[in-house]
């Protein structure tokens, strides 16, 4: 059965442009509940580790540089079938291909500066949530 939580990050481009509130409001309107949140400035080590799965990709250096360029906002969100629901709500990686009304269509500039991250599986949602939040912070009422 699909899980009911997932991990998102409002990335430095959107956070720095004061779009975090609008993005979270949009996700709340789409039925997501915020279960955990923080603002942090990732170190190179943290960003490199978080995106280690992409380390062989040509855009890895650019991705780590971007994710450490300013503060970002990781959040754990809850909704039925959370992983798929969030990926639907944020739209395609490339904003030019993102559907109308999605976060990336509204707020992303490019494939690299694309406003928001979302976990791509329940397994990664659990791993990525533990990356940013303690077990205590993930003990939801
Ligand atoms: P995200 O959902 O955070 O997961 C991996 C990230 O890699 C992705 O969003 C993009 O920000 C980034 N990415 C993927 N493809 C490219 C690309 N072609 N050029 C730059 N960044 C990319």
């Amino acid at each position: 059965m699909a899980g009911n939580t997932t991990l998102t990050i409002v990335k430095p481009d959107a956070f720095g442009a004061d779009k975090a509130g609008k993005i979270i409001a949009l996700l709340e309107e789409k039925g997501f509940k915020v279960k955990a949140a923080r603002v942090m400035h990732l170190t190179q080590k943290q960003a490199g580790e978080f995106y280690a799965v992409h380390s062989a990709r040509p855009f890895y250096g650019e991705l780590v540089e971007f994710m450490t360029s300013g503060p970002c906002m990781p959040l754990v969100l809850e909704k039925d079938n959370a992983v798929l629901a969030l990926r639907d709500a944020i739209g395609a990686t490339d904003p030019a291909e993102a559907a109308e009304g999605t976060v990336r269509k509204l707020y992303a500039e490019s494939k690299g500066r694309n406003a928001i991250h979302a976990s791509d599986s329940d397994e990664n949602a659990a791993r990525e949530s533990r990356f940013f939040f303690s077990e205590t912070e993930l003990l939801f009422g």
Side-chain angles (χ1 to χ4, degrees), residues 80-100:
D80 284 350
N81 205 357
V83 168
L84 274 181
L86 184 62
R87 292 187 76 78
D88 209 38
I90 73 171
T93 304
D94 184 346
E97 291 166 16
E100 290 298 329

Side-chain angles (χ1 to χ4, degrees), residues 11 51 54 59 62-63 93 104 111-112 114 116-118:
K11 293 186 178 182
Y51 282 114
H54 296 301
F59 56 80
E62 185 187 320
L63 176 59
T93 304
R104 284 172 172 159
K111 253 188 193 172
N114 65 354
I116 193 163
H117 166 82

Side-chain angles (χ1 to χ4, degrees), residues 33-127:
K33 282 193 90 63
V34 177
K35 304 302 285 189
R38 65 162 35 94
V39 174
M40 62 192 294
H41 195 142
L42 291 176
T43 63
Q44 294 264 332
K45 185 170 181 285
Q46 287 171 320
E49 203 179 315
F50 184 80
Y51 282 114
V53 65
H54 296 301
S55 61
R57 309 288 283 277
F59 56 80
Y60 180 67
E62 185 187 320
L63 176 59
V64 170
E65 189 183 332
F66 166 58
M67 289 303 292
T68 57
S69 65
C72 67
M73 193 171 179
L75 303 99
V76 177
L77 299 177
E78 183 183 75
K79 191 181 195 295
D80 284 350
N81 205 357
V83 168
L84 274 181
L86 184 62
R87 292 187 76 78
D88 209 38
I90 73 171
T93 304
D94 184 346
E97 291 166 16
E100 290 298 329
T102 59
V103 175
R104 284 172 172 159
K105 182 69 176 186
L106 290 164
Y107 299 112
E109 292 168 31
S110 65
K111 253 188 193 172
R113 298 173 63 83
N114 65 354
I116 193 163
H117 166 82
S119 305
D120 64 3
S121 66
D122 284 337
E123 190 187 356
N124 281 337
R127 183 181 63 77

